[in-house]
Amino acid sequence: MKKLLNAPSDLVKEALAGMAVAHPDLLRVQLDPAFLVRADAPVRGKVAVLSGGGSGHEPLHGGFVGRGMLDAACPGAVFTSPTPDQILEATRAVDGGAGVVHVVKNYTGDVMNFEMAAELARDMGIATETVLVNDDVAVENSLYTAGRRGVGTTVLVEKICGAAAEAGRGLADVAALGRRVNDHGRSMGLALTPCTVPHAGKPSFELGPDEIEVGIGIHGEPGRRRAKLEPADRLTEMLMDPILDDLPFRAGKDVLLFVNGLGGTPLLELYVVFRKAHELAAARGLRVVRSLVGPYITSLEMAGVSITLLEVDEEMVRYWDAPVHTAALRWGV
Amino acid sequence: MKKLLNAPSDLVKEALAGMAVAHPDLLRVQLDPAFLVRADAPVRGKVAVLSGGGSGHEPLHGGFVGRGMLDAACPGAVFTSPTPDQILEATRAVDGGAGVVHVVKNYTGDVMNFEMAAELARDMGIATETVLVNDDVAVENSLYTAGRRGVGTTVLVEKICGAAAEAGRGLADVAALGRRVNDHGRSMGLALTPCTVPHAGKPSFELGPDEIEVGIGIHGEPGRRRAKLEPADRLTEMLMDPILDDLPFRAGKDVLLFVNGLGGTPLLELYVVFRKAHELAAARGLRVVRSLVGPYITSLEMAGVSITLLEVDEEMVRYWDAPVHTAALRWGV
Amino acid sequence: EVLNGDAVVVWIERAAAVIVENEKYLTELDAAIGDSDHGANMARGFSAVRGKLAGQPREDVGAILKTVGMTLLSTVGGASGPLYGTLFLEAAKIAAGKAELDRTAIQQSLAAGLAGIQKRGKAEPLDKTMVDALGPAIQAFEGAAGVTLAEALARAAEAARQGAEATIPLVARKGRASYLGERSAGHQDPGATSMWLLVRSLAEAAAE
Amino acid sequence: EVLNGDAVVVWIERAAAVIVENEKYLTELDAAIGDSDHGANMARGFSAVRGKLAGQPREDVGAILKTVGMTLLSTVGGASGPLYGTLFLEAAKIAAGKAELDRTAIQQSLAAGLAGIQKRGKAEPLDKTMVDALGPAIQAFEGAAGVTLAEALARAAEAARQGAEATIPLVARKGRASYLGERSAGHQDPGATSMWLLVRSLAEAAAE
Ligand SMILES: Nc1ncnc2c1ncn2[C@@H]1O[C@H](COP(=O)(O)OP(=O)(O)O)[C@@H](O)[C@H]1O
Ligand SMILES: Nc1ncnc2c1ncn2[C@@H]1O[C@H](COP(=O)(O)OP(=O)(O)O)[C@@H](O)[C@H]1O
Ligand SMILES: [Mg+2]
Ligand SMILES: [Mg+2]
Ligand SMILES: [Mg+2]
Ligand SMILES: [Mg+2]
């Protein structure tokens, strides 16, 4: 295992310490239990937006803490959901009296830990709402699974909810908007290489030189099926077709197209995929009105890509365009 | 070789096409010869800032095209300097009558191709100035080499020159400022894994499971020496010590600390390195007044990191903070 | 034929030791159908528990179990954290204020723990989870009338082992492994395996 | 004992074929001490040249060489692009307006090309560059008095080959390989190698 780290068990805390000194204007870090909050938290009277999950998906979530996006992020160990006490403490630290929205990716661990934290917060008189993100079309049959995973749409939910909260919208409103974003977003990914969890010390799975995993999550777990490596255009179709058919996305609609790198894939290749995805969306009569390209929700150093398509309405676009000032996403400020 | 591409020879052009559809508000792409210009080029009366080099270092340079940074970028084939005609055409396309600054990384190919382009531009009556970036302290003896390579400081030169040009400074001023930034910036990098040039189809070099290359460039070439993989803190010292000693950076000065990912290294690890680099800078009595962390000048999917330290003055900080609106770097707008 | 506070502490310390010993093994099981962290999660949690138990008074078995539950809850994370946390917290409710647990109390505690796990995680038997080790263990314990407590717990441990092994052919329907669909068959569930180790430690502690 | 336009075109076409054939080999040499692109750069350039020469009139050797130089300049890139471009553009100046090149003109053209390369790239002999193949080739050509043109060029090609091979023990002082310092020794310079292929193609064209 070749990684830039000291002890695997110190990785997350040392990275948090790095964030604290790199972005003192943006955020504050607390270590025990571990969480990040925006520098001016709690913001009186504003709904707070909090998310969290295992580490290893950076910049998600810590890189999205700041004005116009997340009030707090709770990082767990690598690929391990944070614990209820972390989430509870962060919830308390950012509650400005208007309640806290928890943005939760749909994984059993995240769901249960956030659930327990929300129960504890409720007992302390803090109102919370949970927005569950489950946008991964690779998981087809939710009856015999833990349900669809939360992947790329998470970033869009966090941005749009964050902006709505910043604009003064109430707890129920922000949560409802977040759910609407989730309902209109669909994602799918594929991996060219596995990643290595620092504690495990070796790759999570093995792939032959011309094999890929299709329908991959973001935790280094194998995907839904193994396939042959093909040209980028063909692989882009392999992701876009199920996405387009699922909502389904209908001609004439406006969409946000988000091509996400899983960590180890160069930007050059992401733009090659973006080009084809854009072409396929256009061929279905969709208008790509907003774009995002880059590694925003990653799986350590895994090479691969995920595509997210969000059918946007006027309100979502307005909140997408609203100022945001975080380590990883910034505009208008 | 596992990459998201179609034919290797189409990679750069397809990625440019992707950038064109992803960022129509920011930039325009021309394909033969290939270059990108900001959407409103040429800007009348403004000095234009142009850079270029081999592809494979994304977001450098194309991701820095836009208001407040580069007016144009000329991408060559992967790791291959662009040609004089590309540079000449881009220079013509962005000249707003006030001249064009060429930001050139010090590699034989870049230097010669830019030189020839500048000669041709001069023949056409376009004034150009060249800012040569050569900040890599790993190359010690410039007498017996092609001189120090241009690495991380390039990003800082482009940002600061771009802001100065946007502020209406003249050609000689912008170039002088760029040279001052170069003179006060120092960098060094190391690689944990090689990268694979698409045309070559296999890794540029081989490294054992516990070997690293120290003093690496950004073209997949081997570094100055091979060393054992050590804990991140120790590796950070291995980069910071030569940097700190070289300028030398003196106690009491303000610095910008830039921890750059070479492509395949997760953000989590970059922050671990940032933490230690910040500590080492502070131990020397330096004040880290600005930070940048992320993959900004990369070497395809290479795992590794480079550190850049820039001794800043008030003017550099002011131009660093000035609004910038590009695909990869954006604030204040 | 009872478990007092000392015995419970011995149990947990044995469990901690065996979990830490088997960290790599549990992680390898999780690598096959999950995300390679179950070993690290459990080792982190039980190491923390070990530290917490050092200063713990032994009079109230419920209080000991509560400490274990709270510590697991705040250190394990992932899916197993809330589930193992719930197991001990629910058991602690039954044991609250008791200096020792007799067979009935033991059985009620385990049953309350299982019920808590199923309420929180919604897993049914044969969903390929830790339930498939704990469920059979409780049944075996209930069924072991007329033998010593130690023997009853040994039978429970053996049932847990068989239950864990019996997850191999199953297709997961809960947790992260369920995303693999048919590809999850052929691998033993990591959580069922750690549950077996936990029950085995209990049997060993009772046999001492 | 002259090279006319047809012969020059035959030369360039042979060169293009052999460069494309050896793309992988040149890239491998560049992988060892450079950035793995020399083969692709040269193949891209000479393929473009091939396309350009199709419609090229044969009367003016200078015009042919200029087309080659301009095309290499705008398609090769890297360090080798401007250098090979300069070689042909400088040679083209000598050959301008000539329907054929005699020995003196050939010699002057090559010398002008070398001078251009050295002016642009500042490399001295033994810096481990293409100069180390072209320099010896020109010397051998000059020294080959009293033999046929074909034989003189064959000797030049042999000198280029030896010059390229002689770069193996050298420590690079110019170009990207110089960053490797001592580690550059033990590898043959890619540019010197492609230069040898170019001179060899010229000898073959002259022998036809
Ligand atoms: N809904 C559930 N009910 C019961 N047990 C579950 C459930 N989901 C997961 N598990 C158990 O948790 C184990 C995985 O734990 P762990 O790897 O620590 O967490 P995660 O899956 O979040 O990475 C599985 O092997 C399974 O036994
Ligand atoms: N300054 C120089 N003078 C002469 N030849 C040079 C010089 N620098 C590099 N070269 C030649 O160029 C070759 C490398 O070409 P290429 O790989 O295409 O370009 P790059 O080094 O830019 O990747 C070297 O092998 C060497 O022969
Ligand atoms: Mg996990
Ligand atoms: Mg090159
Ligand atoms: Mg797991
Ligand atoms: Mg090269």
Side-chain angles (χ1 to χ4, degrees), chain C residues 66-150:
Chain C
K66 188 171 176 190
T67 298
V68 175
M70 290 302 290
T71 306
L72 292 178
L73 207 56
S74 68
T75 54
V76 176
S80 49
L83 295 172
Y84 276 111
T86 297
L87 168 66
F88 283 95
L89 290 179
E90 292 299 324
K93 286 184 197 162
I94 304 288
K98 300 204 168 89
E100 50 183 44
L101 304 186
D102 60 15
R103 275 176 88 132
T104 315
I106 293 171
Q107 203 232 284
Q108 284 172 347
S109 300
L110 291 172
L114 175 62
I117 287 175
Q118 288 195 272
K119 188 166 173 224
R120 184 62 64 200
K122 317 250 163 13
E124 296 296 324
L126 306 186
D127 279 353
K128 194 171 185 126
T129 71
M130 54 175 68
V131 167
D132 296 324
L134 184 56
I138 294 175
Q139 276 170 23
F141 185 69
E142 283 180 26
V147 300
T148 62
L149 173 62

Side-chain angles (χ1 to χ4, degrees), chain B residues 6-26:
Chain B
N6 298 299
S9 49
D10 293 334
L11 172 58
V12 172
K13 297 210 167 181
E14 288 180 353
L16 285 178
M19 288 199 75
V21 289
H23 312 293
D25 51 327
L26 280 183

